[in-house]
Amino acid sequence: MKTFRILILSAAALTLTACSEDSLDSQSIFNSSSAPKTETAFDQWLQKNYVEPYNIEFKYRFEYKESDTDYNLAPADYNKAIALAKLTKYLWLEAYDELMGQDFLRTYAPKIMNLIGSVAYDSNGGMVLGTAEGGMKIVLYNVNSINPDKIDIDFLNEWYFITMHHEFAHILHQTKDYPTDFNEISKADYQSSSWVNLEDQEALAMGFVNNYASSEAREDFVQTIAFYITYSDEDWQDLLETAIVDVTDENGDPVYELDAYGSPVYEEDAEGNPIPETDFMGNIVYKTDDDGNTLYTYDEEAGTLTPAPEYKKVQKKDYTGYNKLQQKLAMAKDYLRQSWGIDLDKLHQIVQRRQQEVADGKVDLKSLN
């Protein structure tokens, strides 16, 4: 250990000596507002594709003043920043252009997009997906996890595009407010800061697209819009169906549907026949009496006895979450159409088509043509 320390001190002494004999470069290796930057081909591309058409400054260099000092952060990789810039242009900016024309986003889009290469972890160990400041600036993290050679649409949506559509929806409703009737749908269920303790499955059952949407009505509104735009038809339907939950009693036992006579309602196959219950091995389960003896049915025509199978009973379902999600989406669609002339279904279709084109490798994410 002593030898190691001596070597370090000797190296430091040599460094100090060398520095004292050479003149120092006045330009810092760190970016700052006063330090001149060498313009790259990417800067020229951003000027042409972001600044001129949309008046958006796309910051990919790490700037201390633009970063949150509460986190330990790293710069974005140059090539991965190019990929995200092209993805953002194709999947977000040009999707709105296709529907609304370029002037729409030029007027209302955030003016700064800032990229951070690493993940930001909060004090609870949770990951920050993105942040926004007053509708003027969006910060996107974890840029260095993008793989331009193997694009994962779900990853892109989770880390970037749900955030972008979420924050843009905030800008829209802060400019023209949505009807306050929306706030009444889940008025009793908003969790405030306790949303972090809610599992997404619980949130869905309550009528929220995820746990964060349960924090307050405004977040619920924009999160509903962002999820609907980015989710495929299949994924959105799965989300709705997951919001339908089985009803159980106070002991956790299933509660079953009953017909008008108080008898169980059974599941049926395509031909309308009740479906037998099976055990974990796939064997049919048969009815038994209180002593465990198998019960039989008598076929008068054949004169035979056959074991009586148990049939699958229809468990009662709670559609509260499902119905609230449908109600919220309908109100969001009405608001966007009446206040902005935005057809949310068409925007969803445009984004889905473009996402598929990216997934199919039809969008160049590397060159700056």
Side-chain angles (χ1 to χ4, degrees):
M1 183 63 73
K2 288 182 180 179
T3 303
F4 181 72
R5 286 175 179 166
I6 291 170
L7 288 172
I8 292 294
L9 289 172
S10 299
L14 288 171
T15 302
L16 288 171
T17 301
C19 287
S20 66
E21 293 176 355
D22 296 332
S23 60
L24 296 176
D25 190 337
S26 61
Q27 182 173 331
S28 170
I29 63 170
F30 299 101
N31 287 324
S32 69
S33 58
S34 60
K37 300 181 179 70
T38 302
E39 187 176 72
T40 65
F42 188 23
D43 292 316
Q44 296 171 358
W45 187 90
L46 290 172
Q47 176 68 25
K48 181 179 178 181
N49 290 275
Y50 274 79
V51 177
E52 292 175 8
Y54 301 106
N55 196 26
I56 296 174
E57 184 176 8
F58 193 95
K59 293 176 175 287
Y60 67 94
R61 295 181 176 88
F62 189 86
E63 297 183 22
Y64 181 80
K65 68 176 183 178
E66 295 287 355
S67 63
D68 192 328
T69 56
D70 289 338
Y71 306 122
N72 184 20
L73 303 174
D77 176 86
Y78 180 82
N79 291 318
K80 295 184 178 185
I82 290 175
L84 185 53
K86 300 196 79 173
L87 285 164
T88 300
K89 181 174 183 285
Y90 193 75
L91 294 177
W92 184 51
L93 298 174
E94 292 180 346
Y96 272 98
D97 289 351
E98 185 176 334
L99 183 68
M100 301 294 293
Q102 197 173 79
D103 287 344
F104 182 72
L105 275 189
R106 184 178 179 85
T107 303
Y108 296 107
K111 300 310 175 189
I112 297 175
M113 298 191 67
N114 188 35
L115 304 191
I116 303 295
S118 56
V119 174
Y121 292 97
D122 61 26
S123 58
N124 297 321
M127 293 184 295
V128 179
L129 300 182
T131 59
E133 298 177 7
M136 294 300 294
K137 171 184 170 184
I138 293 179
V139 182
L140 300 175
Y141 297 91
N142 200 26
V143 175
N144 293 345
S145 291
I146 294 175
N147 182 355
D149 296 315
K150 190 176 181 181
I151 288 298
D152 182 337
I153 294 297
D154 291 337
F155 171 84
L156 294 179
N157 284 333
E158 179 183 0
W159 277 98
Y160 315 117
F161 292 103
I162 287 177
T163 297
M164 291 180 198
H165 290 291
H166 175 114
E167 297 305 333
F168 188 57
H170 269 314
I171 292 172
L172 295 180
H173 82 73
Q174 287 163 3
T175 305
K176 300 179 184 179
D177 204 2
Y178 61 82
T180 55
D181 288 350
F182 182 95
N183 303 344
E184 300 299 315
I185 299 173
S186 294
K187 184 177 180 179
D189 295 324
Y190 288 114
Q191 306 292 304
S192 187
S193 59
S194 297
W195 69 267
V196 296
N197 301 319
L198 199 66
E199 296 292 334
D200 282 341
Q201 175 60 62
E202 296 175 283
L204 282 167
M206 296 165 68
F208 304 107
V209 291
N210 72 344
N211 58 359
Y212 182 62
S214 73
S215 61
E216 60 173 288
R218 291 173 298 178
E219 301 305 323
D220 189 11
F221 182 74
V222 300
Q223 198 76 331
T224 300
I225 292 172
F227 269 56
Y228 183 70
I229 292 172
T230 55
Y231 270 39
S232 68
D233 293 337
E234 182 181 358
D235 287 342
W236 181 257
Q237 191 59 40
D238 286 345
L239 180 144
L240 291 176
E241 291 177 3
T242 305
I244 304 169
V245 295
D246 294 331
V247 177
T248 57
D249 61 21
E250 61 275 9
N251 298 317
D253 296 322
V255 175
Y256 295 105
E257 293 283 0
L258 303 177
D259 62 20
Y261 302 100
S263 300
V265 177
Y266 297 107
E267 295 184 26
E268 297 179 345
D269 60 21
E271 297 176 353
N273 301 311
I275 302 172
E277 278 281 7
T278 55
D279 60 21
F280 71 97
M281 295 289 291
N283 300 313
I284 293 176
V285 176
Y286 294 101
K287 294 180 180 179
T288 58
D289 60 21
D290 293 340
D291 296 322
N293 299 310
T294 300
L295 299 177
Y296 291 83
T297 57
Y298 178 66
D299 186 332
E300 292 184 1
E301 293 184 6
T304 58
L305 289 172
T306 56
E310 287 280 6
Y311 292 109
K312 291 184 178 180
K313 291 178 281 190
V314 176
Q315 187 168 359
K316 199 168 187 177
K317 304 288 185 181
D318 184 350
Y319 283 80
T320 300
Y322 176 92
N323 291 333
K324 287 185 176 181
L325 286 169
Q326 293 281 51
Q327 189 178 359
K328 290 174 183 179
L329 179 62
M331 291 188 73
K333 288 180 179 180
D334 286 344
Y335 160 78
L336 290 172
R337 183 178 63 256
Q338 294 173 12
S339 297
W340 295 100
I342 295 173
D343 186 323
L344 189 58
D345 286 323
K346 287 184 178 179
L347 180 59
H348 163 82
Q349 293 165 5
I350 290 168
V351 169
Q352 294 309 306
R353 187 192 74 242
R354 287 172 174 267
Q355 284 184 169
Q356 189 58 54
E357 289 165 354
V358 169
D360 291 342
K362 296 179 179 179
V363 180
D364 174 18
L365 302 178
K366 296 181 179 180
S367 69
L368 293 170
N369 296 330

